[in-house]
Amino acid sequence: TLLQILGTLSTPDSGSLIIDGVDTLSLDSKKLAEFRNLRLGFVFQFYNLIPNLTIKENIEVCAYLSKEPLDIEELLDTLGLTEHKDKFPNQLSGGQQQRCAIARALASDNKIILADEPTGALDGKTAEEIMDLLAALRDEKRTIILVTHDEKIAAYTDRILRLEDGKKVKRRY
């Protein structure tokens, strides 16, 4: 729910949502879609890959929407997908599909990445590599908001906000 609201995919019941100085609740649907495309990258828990596009084409779709996309071949290489770039999502493992979803979110070079369990379907080594990549992006002045149940993954973050039943119960800065 939190990522849905922060990603402007759902509207909060009350209050305001100001992201990067923009009151997103005041935007009409066209401006909101433009805001989302230019500023937010999404890594969904269930990938949301387009089944009839290859892995490379899935990534290119998001890069196409960006003013300054990252190099797709470099993303494929970094995420270990080069040999799979001409395959379709149903030809890949869950971990490979998740890496494609991450590449898609990164391709548009947005300054805010919202990630819902980005390492959930990955083995330990690949999860570590993905978290190292996300940490490097954070060091490039990107904001990454990550939801996870994994304490090892949470340890990669600068800040932790723990929620229970929708209420803040603990934080570390």
Side-chain angles (χ1 to χ4, degrees):
T1 303
L2 176 64
L3 290 182
Q4 290 282 320
I5 291 171
L6 293 175
T8 72
L9 299 171
S10 295
T11 305
D13 294 332
S14 63
S16 59
L17 180 60
I18 299 172
I19 300 173
D20 202 16
V22 176
D23 179 359
T24 62
L25 300 180
S26 70
L27 301 176
D28 64 35
S29 60
K30 184 178 177 183
K31 290 282 187 194
L32 188 59
E34 183 179 297
F35 174 86
R36 195 180 300 122
N37 286 337
L38 296 176
R39 301 202 188 187
L40 303 174
F42 296 89
V43 179
F44 296 100
Q45 185 174 8
F46 298 108
Y47 322 131
N48 291 343
L49 301 178
I50 302 168
N52 59 336
L53 295 181
T54 66
I55 297 311
K56 184 176 181 182
E57 291 167 338
N58 262 281
I59 299 167
E60 287 173 334
V61 166
C62 289
Y64 175 76
L65 296 172
S66 176
K67 290 181 179 178
E68 297 180 35
L70 296 181
D71 182 87
I72 292 172
E73 295 298 329
E74 187 176 322
L75 277 173
L76 287 165
D77 184 54
T78 299
L79 293 168
L81 292 170
T82 301
E83 68 185 74
H84 305 292
K85 69 181 179 180
D86 297 320
K87 294 180 182 176
F88 293 94
N90 69 350
Q91 297 174 302
L92 300 180
S93 70
Q96 291 165 331
Q97 289 182 52
Q98 183 66 309
R99 283 186 269 161
C100 180
I102 291 167
R104 203 172 50 177
L106 299 178
S108 55
D109 198 24
N110 292 312
K111 299 302 177 207
I112 301 171
I113 306 286
L114 303 173
D116 185 8
E117 296 284 357
T119 61
L122 305 178
D123 62 78
K125 181 181 183 303
T126 306
E128 187 177 308
E129 290 169 359
I130 294 303
M131 291 310 299
D132 288 341
L133 175 64
L134 291 175
L137 290 169
R138 177 194 63 218
D139 293 342
E140 292 177 11
K141 304 297 183 215
R142 287 195 180 86
T143 297
I144 300 169
I145 300 172
L146 171 85
V147 171
T148 186
H149 292 90
D150 187 330
E151 294 293 330
K152 290 181 201 169
I153 298 304
Y156 277 86
T157 64
D158 292 330
R159 299 177 185 183
I160 295 175
L161 176 64
R162 188 177 311 278
L163 300 175
E164 241 177 65
D165 299 323
K167 305 233 185 305
K168 179 175 61 173
V169 294
K170 182 181 174 184
R171 71 176 149 178
R172 175 197 67 154
Y173 289 100

